[in-house]
Amino acid sequence: MPLEEEIDGLDDSAEHLVALAPVEDGERVIATLRLLVNGDSAKIGRVAVQRDWRRRGIAARMLQMALLRACERGCRRARLAAQLDAVALYEHAGFAVESEEFEEAGIPHVWMGRALAAG
């Protein structure tokens, strides 16, 4: 994704989750996720897992943690823009497709959302 599409000015107000893997001299980041909260609504984005760590449940676990954090912050709803090849991951987490397909950074996406039990 071009840098100008990555920088949106929201990183400072977001919570960032990272997954770490051990390496010889410490740890390295292998996955990231960004959680934005606006009132009682959460937006999850920037979900990325390093290619050789995919299909191990890392994104699903990070998503679960982000949804729990959104609930703790009083959110009643969560949404995200899913790449088409990741729709099944989000459906497994309780999200449903809520839009027609659209293109973002040359990649087809759909909006997905789900209700949360605020706690």
Side-chain angles (χ1 to χ4, degrees), residues 31-63:
T32 64
L33 178 151
R34 181 172 84 168
L35 173 66
L36 292 164
V37 173
N38 185 5
D40 66 353
S41 188
K43 182 180 177 197
I44 295 170
R46 310 290 166 91
V47 180
V49 178
Q50 190 176 28
R51 188 172 310 279
D52 55 339
W53 286 90
R54 292 179 187 163
R55 308 232 182 269
R56 299 184 192 196
I58 295 167
R61 178 69 178 125
M62 290 180 68
L63 184 59

Side-chain angles (χ1 to χ4, degrees), residues 10-27:
L10 299 175
D11 281 339
D12 289 343
S13 61
E15 289 189 47
H16 301 269
L17 282 74
V18 296
L20 302 172
V23 293
E24 286 182 18
D25 57 347
E27 297 174 315

Side-chain angles (χ1 to χ4, degrees), residues 85-101:
D85 62 356
V87 166
L89 166 72
Y90 300 121
E91 286 176 333
H92 186 70
F95 285 83
V97 174
E98 297 181 339
S99 77
E100 297 294 321
E101 185 178 315

Side-chain angles (χ1 to χ4, degrees), residues 97-114:
V97 174
E98 297 181 339
S99 77
E100 297 294 321
E101 185 178 315
F102 64 94
E103 192 171 297
E104 185 172 295
I107 302 168
H109 287 70
V110 289
W111 280 106
M112 299 185 76
R114 65 164 280 179

